[in-house]
Amino acid sequence: MKPFISAGPPSGLLLVLMCCPLLGLVQSASSNKASDKGHPHLGDADPERCMRHHFVETITHPIYKCNSKMVLLARCEGHCSHTTRSDPLISFSSVLKQPFKSTCSCCRPHTSKLKAVRLRCAGGTRITATYRYILACNCEECS
């Protein structure tokens, strides 16, 4: 069996290809599929797809003198389908307020849970701040 040698892949991959040359053919065929269409694959490998991103926020009360607390939050960010659509609406009225029905897809929270954090304020009082923590994001119809 003649080893498959390529100048492009890293040396760790070169060893695998010497043992199993079909692996290199399968890998190059799947990467060509995504590039044949002229745009990156919009599946799990796309880093800009609609997904949850974590960040840290400091919660402070706008009026009372309370200790601040840092909390982990999440937001939905990324793209969905690039295709939008506008269909004409048919009406039997002389006034057509909205002549088109448009559809598009937006990156939005799919599931979330209510969370609370208690801030300790001057005089020993405690104030509770609430927020929604996003568990999953999804592409949903925009409104």
Side-chain angles (χ1 to χ4, degrees):
M1 175 170 83
K2 186 176 179 183
F4 178 74
I5 299 173
S6 174
S11 60
L13 187 58
L14 183 61
L15 291 174
V16 172
L17 292 176
M18 289 178 73
C19 297
C20 184
L22 289 178
L23 182 63
L25 296 175
V26 170
Q27 185 177 9
S28 67
S30 65
S31 65
N32 285 344
K33 258 187 207 173
S35 62
D36 284 346
K37 294 180 180 175
H39 56 79
H41 176 31
L42 297 178
D44 291 340
D46 185 5
E48 295 180 14
R49 74 188 184 282
C50 176
M51 60 188 294
R52 181 174 66 158
H53 293 272
H54 293 97
F55 64 101
V56 176
E57 185 77 36
T58 303
I59 296 179
T60 56
H61 196 280
I63 300 169
Y64 302 118
K65 292 183 180 179
C66 303
N67 291 342
S68 299
K69 277 199 177 171
M70 292 175 66
V71 294
L72 180 69
L73 298 174
R75 69 175 173 263
C76 293
E77 186 177 335
H79 63 72
C80 298
S81 170
H82 292 288
T83 304
T84 58
R85 187 170 139 175
S86 293
D87 291 321
L89 292 177
I90 297 171
S91 173
F92 294 98
S93 169
S94 59
V95 178
L96 192 56
K97 291 181 181 177
Q98 272 191 322
F100 302 101
K101 179 186 180 219
S102 299
T103 56
C104 63
S105 178
C106 297
C107 185
R108 292 193 168 157
H110 181 63
T111 54
S112 65
K113 67 179 177 180
L114 186 65
K115 284 193 151 197
V117 63
R118 295 187 74 172
L119 303 179
R120 193 173 310 166
C121 304
T125 59
R126 290 177 183 258
I127 294 180
T128 303
T130 58
Y131 61 94
R132 301 293 305 188
Y133 180 76
I134 298 170
L135 299 171
C137 300
N138 208 3
C139 291
E140 297 175 4
E141 188 174 337
C142 302
S143 55

